[in-house]
Amino acid sequence: MPTHQSLAGSSDEELLRRMVDTHPDRYGDAFWEFFTSRVAPSLPARPVMIDVGCGPGLFLRDLGTRYPSASLHGYDVTAAMIDHGRKLPGAGLTFTLHDVTTQPLPHAAGSVDLVSMSSVLHVIDEPLPVLAEVRRVLAPGGIFLLHDWVRRPLPAYLAWRRDEMKESGPEALRRGFRLFPVHNKYTPDDWRWLLAEAGLTVRDHTQLRPTHQIFVAY
Ligand SMILES: C[S@@+](CC[C@H](N)C(=O)[O-])C[C@H]1O[C@@H](n2cnc3c(N)ncnc32)[C@H](O)[C@@H]1O
């Protein structure tokens, strides 16, 4: 199966750098306002939180500063991401090399208060078994926070890569065409349908960026 990195024509290190560099924009004030009003009220004082496809681990690090008593676990299939996470300062953080398509999450059923997946599920060929695993580990009242790409027309997608990502030239255009079907796979209704098929109920959703939607499901 081609990885996101190979489709993008980037190395693991390049994807890692991009995730680190764009983290402050992706997890800025608008994200935390949404999190504080729509997610935080459901969390217990000492939550167990996991980030599946955690990349460099910076979202978990940020959660750790807001929830110092939390137990925080990051899982990713890319060794460079896990290595980065393991070097982050912060108590209660663990990072494990893990392929969510082939291994069950190492958590008991009904034991996790927050499962996050950000820009990961769209690359997974068969999302339903992964969503079933998410549902298995969620505690009663636990939240699944899905943040992922939503389908847009080709001209809008290519213009976004040119204007927002500041890409130009023939190689960048080739990459844009390679990634178009990857990033523009699911409509918001497709995501809602997938979540419902997995037995999850969407309680809230929003669009903080033109490319992504966030769903709060339980
Ligand atoms: C676009 S990055 C997003 C990283 C992070 N969630 C963030 O928003 O900064 C997608 C991540 O998903 C990971 N990933 C892809 N397939 C995976 C799988 N089957 N199991 C675990 N992680 C996976 C990749 O290694 C990569 O780190």
Side-chain angles (χ1 to χ4, degrees):
M1 182 181 78
T3 62
H4 179 281
Q5 289 91 312
S6 64
L7 282 164
S10 349
S11 66
D12 290 351
E13 282 302 326
E14 283 166 339
L15 181 66
L16 170 65
R17 273 298 119 219
R18 198 157 53 246
M19 291 295 106
V20 171
D21 291 346
T22 58
H23 177 80
D25 290 335
R26 295 183 296 119
Y27 292 91
D29 290 346
F31 173 83
W32 286 108
E33 273 164 32
F34 180 78
F35 188 94
T36 303
S37 63
R38 312 296 172 86
V39 179
S42 301
L43 295 175
R46 299 166 67 88
V48 176
M49 309 203 249
I50 73 176
D51 194 11
V52 180
C54 62
L58 299 173
F59 176 49
L60 282 173
R61 176 205 60 186
D62 296 348
L63 280 172
T65 63
R66 289 169 169 80
Y67 296 89
S69 317
S71 162
L72 300 153
H73 307 273
Y75 300 100
D76 203 288
V77 75
T78 304
M81 302 292 183
I82 295 302
D83 290 346
H84 186 276
R86 285 179 178 158
K87 290 185 193 125
L88 292 172
L93 279 171
T94 65
F95 289 94
T96 307
L97 196 62
H98 183 97
D99 183 345
V100 73
T101 64
T102 58
Q103 299 163 280
L105 290 166
H107 294 271
S111 66
V112 178
D113 301 298
L114 176 72
V115 179
S116 158
M117 285 186 90
S118 176
S119 301
V120 182
L121 202 55
H122 71 280
V123 296
I124 288 175
D125 284 345
E126 285 188 78
L128 287 172
V130 173
L131 288 173
E133 187 55 9
V134 167
R135 187 164 179 237
R136 180 187 71 78
V137 301
L138 274 183
I143 285 185
F144 176 43
L145 189 63
L146 173 68
H147 196 182
D148 218 315
W149 290 86
V150 287
R151 188 185 303 166
R152 289 195 308 158
L154 177 64
Y157 177 72
L158 293 179
W160 173 82
R161 296 196 73 87
R162 184 191 63 224
D163 300 338
E164 300 298 322
M165 298 192 67
K166 311 288 181 216
E167 290 186 346
S168 61
E171 181 43 43
L173 192 58
R174 269 193 289 278
R175 186 164 56 244
F177 275 105
R178 265 200 314 275
L179 285 172
F180 175 69
V182 181
H183 288 157
N184 293 278
K185 192 161 155 187
Y186 296 119
T187 65
D189 278 346
D190 293 335
W191 284 123
R192 267 189 283 276
W193 181 86
L194 277 171
L195 290 165
E197 277 294 294
L200 293 158
T201 304
V202 175
R203 191 175 77 187
D204 242 313
H205 70 99
T206 195
Q207 181 145 359
L208 302 176
R209 292 183 277 149
T211 50
H212 284 60
Q213 283 218 1
I214 302 187
F215 298 92
V216 179
Y218 62 100

